[in-house]
Amino acid sequence: MSLRGRRALFLVSIPVALLVLVAAFAGLPDFGNYSGVYGRALNLIAVPQRHATDVVTAVNFDYRAFDTMGEEFILFAAVLGLAVVLRSMREEHRRASHEADEEHKFDEPSSLLRAFGVLLVGPVLVIGLYIVSHGAITPGGGFQGGVILAAALLIVFLAGEYLAMKFVAPHALVEFGEAAGAGGYVLVGFGGLVFAGVFFKNFIGLGDPAHILSAGTIPISNGAVGIEVAGAFVLLWTEFLDQALVIRGK
Amino acid sequence: MISFLPYAVAAWLIAIGLYGIVTSNNLVHLVVCLSVVQSATYVLLLAIGYKTGGQAPIFADIPVGTTAVDPVVQALSLVDIVVEATVTALLLALAVQAHKRFGSIDPDDLRPLAG
C-alpha cells in the first residue's frame, strides 16, 4: 500500500481506536486516587512477612516469582533469537577470521575517551554489584544491576579495543553466564519445591530487615537474574559489533 | 485537570507511535516508534498506581504503614522495560539482516522471501 494510502487509513481509524481508549480510561480511578487492594496489602505485609524493605523487589522475586521466571525466559529467548538471526553466514565467517585485522576496522578511541573509560570501569562495576546485592533493601535488583554490570564491559570496549572486551568477556563465558543465571533462578524455585513444598517458596532464614543478608531467597534470585541480564546484554552487544565488523569488512 | 492528564499522555504516545509505524520508511525508525508505543504502558501503569502524597514503596527509612504508591504496577513496569530492551534488539537484528539481503531498510523495498 502506498504511503498516502496508509496515512489515510490511519487517520480514519485512529479516532475510533482513541475513542475506545478514552472509554476504557474513563473507568479508571482518577490520577492519585489509587484504590487497589493488593498494593496496599503488600506495602503493609512485605516487611514483616519477607523482611524485604523494597516491596517492588519482594513482589518480583517472591510474591510473583513464578511470573518473573516467565519474563526472564522471554529475555532469554529474545537474546537467543538475536544470536540466531545474526549468526555469521559461511562466507562472512571466512572474511572475519583474522582477529588482528578486525581491530583495525574500528577507529581508535581518543585519549580523552580512553582516560575517562579507564576511570569509569571500576566505579560502574561497583555500582552494578551494589545495585544487584541490595535489591531487597533499596531500589534496584538483578534486572537493573545486570544492565549496569554489562555497561562496565561496554566501557572496556569504548575505552580500549574490541579485542580487550573479548578478552575480558569471551563469548563462551558470556553465553555460559547467561544460561547459568537463567538456570540458577529456576533452581531457586525448585529449592522452594524441595525444601518448603511450594515452587519458589522461601526456604532459608529471613535475617534482619534492611540487612544485606536478609529477605530469604530474594538476594539469591537477584544474583542469578543479575548474571543472566548482564550476560544477555553483553552477548547482544558483541553480536551487533561482530556484524559491524562483517559489514565493514566488505 | 491533572486527574486525567497522565492517561491522555498514554493515549497520545500510543497514537503518535502508531502513526510513526504506519508512515515509516525506515526499519530502524519503525522499531523506535514501536518503543514509543510501548512506553505508553509505563506511563499508564505508573499513573494507575500513583497515590497523592504517596512515598516510594521502599520501607528502609520510612515506617511500615506510611502511605506509599502501588508496588505491583512498579514491578510490572520494571520487567516490561528489560523485556522491551531485548525485543527491540531482536527487531534491530532483523533490520540488519534485511539490509544485507535487500540492500535497503525501507519496509516498502522488502519482498517476500523465496522459499
Side-chain angles (χ1 to χ4, degrees):
Chain A
M1 200 188 283
S2 72
L3 181 61
R4 188 183 296 233
R6 279 183 300 183
R7 187 178 287 147
L9 189 64
F10 176 82
L11 291 177
V12 171
S13 50
I14 195 69
V16 181
L18 280 180
L19 221 62
V20 175
L21 264 183
V22 168
F25 287 170
L28 291 174
D30 280 356
F31 181 63
N33 287 334
Y34 169 74
S35 54
V37 187
Y38 295 116
R40 237 180 320 162
L42 286 168
N43 276 339
L44 287 174
I45 64 171
V47 177
Q49 206 174 47
R50 297 290 192 264
H51 293 197
T53 50
D54 180 357
V55 183
V56 179
T57 304
V59 170
N60 264 336
F61 293 101
D62 192 313
Y63 293 109
R64 57 186 285 280
F66 189 60
D67 296 7
T68 304
M69 188 179 83
E71 275 136 10
E72 199 202 24
F73 276 95
I74 296 177
L75 187 144
F76 190 80
V79 175
L80 196 72
L82 179 133
V84 171
V85 169
L86 289 185
R87 74 196 180 282
S88 40
M89 307 291 167
R90 223 168 296 138
E91 72 275 24
E92 291 176 353
H93 199 69
R94 224 176 300 133
R95 228 177 281 135
S97 60
H98 281 289
E99 287 225 324
D101 293 345
E102 287 180 29
E103 201 53 61
H104 296 298
K105 289 172 203 144
F106 287 115
D107 293 336
E108 279 275 296
S110 70
S111 51
L112 192 68
L113 181 61
R114 195 181 284 257
F116 268 104
V118 170
L119 279 177
L120 271 176
V121 172
V124 170
L125 208 61
V126 172
I127 292 173
L129 289 172
Y130 174 87
I131 298 281
V132 172
S133 57
H134 288 68
I137 305 165
T138 47
F143 285 109
Q144 303 94 315
V147 178
I148 299 174
L149 286 175
L153 279 169
L154 191 66
I155 294 171
V156 173
F157 162 69
L158 284 175
E161 294 168 328
Y162 187 46
L163 287 181
M165 186 173 114
K166 281 213 155 168
F167 181 72
V168 183
H171 213 280
L173 181 71
V174 173
E175 274 180 347
F176 176 77
E178 198 208 355
Y185 187 78
V186 179
L187 278 184
V188 174
F190 276 111
L193 193 62
V194 171
F195 298 111
V198 178
F199 200 50
F200 274 114
K201 188 170 172 156
N202 181 57
F203 58 91
I204 57 174
L206 287 170
D208 300 323
H211 188 275
I212 184 162
L213 289 178
S214 65
T217 51
I218 294 176
I220 304 174
S221 316
N222 263 319
V225 168
I227 294 169
E228 193 214 338
V229 171
F233 275 80
V234 172
L235 194 67
L236 187 155
W237 285 326
T238 45
E239 292 287 349
F240 274 113
L241 288 170
D242 282 341
Q243 281 298 311
L245 285 173
V246 167
I247 290 167
R248 282 177 191 211
K250 278 185 183 168
Chain B
M1 174 71 180
I2 192 76
S3 65
F4 72 87
L5 212 52
Y7 302 136
V9 170
W12 169 250
L13 284 173
I14 292 174
I16 198 75
L18 279 177
Y19 179 79
I21 290 174
V22 169
T23 61
S24 179
N25 56 11
N26 182 323
L27 285 176
V28 177
H29 169 267
L30 196 150
V31 174
V32 173
C33 289
L34 187 67
S35 307
V36 172
V37 174
Q38 178 144 32
S39 58
T41 59
Y42 316 146
V43 176
L44 184 63
L45 280 172
L46 296 179
I48 289 173
Y50 184 70
K51 210 168 199 169
T52 310
Q55 303 280 320
I58 315 290
F59 298 96
D61 44 13
I62 55 174
V64 175
T66 316
T67 308
V69 300
D70 184 32
V72 179
V73 289
Q74 296 206 359
L76 286 175
S77 14
L78 192 158
V79 283
D80 194 359
I81 289 168
V82 180
V83 168
E84 190 234 335
T86 45
V87 170
T88 301
L90 177 60
L91 292 172
L92 288 174
L94 289 172
V96 168
Q97 292 297 37
H99 182 263
K100 271 198 223 160
R101 182 122 172 72
F102 302 108
S104 162
I105 47 169
D106 188 338
D108 286 336
D109 291 341
L110 304 184
R111 293 175 303 276
L113 283 171

